[in-house]
Amino acid sequence: AQSVSQHNHHVILSEAASLELGCNYSYGGTVNLFWYVQYPGQHLQLLLKYFSGDPLVKGIKGFEAEFIKSKFSFNLRKPSVQWSDTAEYFCAVTTSGTYKYIFGTGTRLKVLA
Amino acid sequence: SQTIHQWPATLVQPVGSPLSLECTVEGTSNPNLYWYRQAAGRGLQLLFYSVGIGQISSEVPQNLSASRPQDRQFILSSKKLLLSDSGFYLCAWVSRGRTDTQYFGPGTRLTVL
C-alpha cells in the first residue's frame, strides 16, 4: 500500500534558522506531490505542489521543495524561517489513475521569536 | 469563487448516539469530494471519497458511512458513535477528473463522551 513518511514530528527553531522537513513516499509509479500547511486556527491550505518538470518547486512564503525520484523524497525547505511560519506541515501524494490522496503524519513547527 | 462549508463546527455526543456531519461546496460543479479524520500525531486519514452522486469509496472499515445525495453535498454518518470516533473531521474537494490541489473546509471537532 502507498504510504507517506514524515520523520520529523516536532521541530523547534529560532527565527532566521534554516528549515528542512523530510517527506518520503512509497510508490514506484508516477506521483503528484504536495505540501500543505495548517496555521493555528486556519484551514489546511496548499503550500506547493509538484506534478512534472523542474524537480525544484517554489511555493508561497519563500518555501521550496525538491523532488528526488531516486530517493522517493520531496523535502520542504526554507532558508530563513519566521515566527509566522509556526504551523503544522503535511506532505501528501497522489498517483495517476486514482483519486486517493495519502497524507503523512504531519510535522509541527514552532518558531521562537 | 469556490467555498466549502462544514457544519456543525463543534459537536459533543454520547457514546452510542448517531452522527451526521454535512459538507457543501459552492462555486464549482461535479467536484470530487473527500472526508478525512485528523488526529494528533496521525496526520490526515482518508475515510471516504466520491467522484459523483451516489458513488462512495470507503478507505477504512469502521462504523462510519458516507453519502452524496446531491452533486455538491457530502454527508458523514454513524448509527452508533464510539469513543474512538472523536477527532477533527475535514471535508475537501478537487475539480472533477483531476488529481490536483485539494481545498479543505474549516472542519468539525467531534468529541464522543
Side-chain angles (χ1 to χ4, degrees), chain B residues 24-92:
Chain B
T24 59
V25 181
E26 295 177 356
T28 187
S29 297
N30 306 314
N32 291 345
L33 296 171
Y34 299 79
W35 277 113
Y36 291 91
R37 179 167 56 208
Q38 183 179 5
R42 298 181 64 181
L44 272 68
Q45 181 186 29
L46 178 61
L47 302 175
F48 302 94
Y49 66 96
S50 171
V51 298
I53 296 174
Q55 300 179 58
I56 307 296
S57 296
S58 174
E59 290 300 305
V60 183
Q62 54 198 338
N63 68 319
L64 299 173
S65 62
S67 62
R68 186 170 177 174
Q70 300 180 45
D71 180 48
R72 290 172 289 177
Q73 184 184 33
F74 205 23
I75 297 172
L76 183 69
S77 304
S78 175
K79 293 182 179 178
K80 288 186 178 181
L81 283 168
L82 306 173
L83 286 174
S84 57
D85 292 323
S86 293
F88 191 55
Y89 289 83
L90 288 167
C91 182

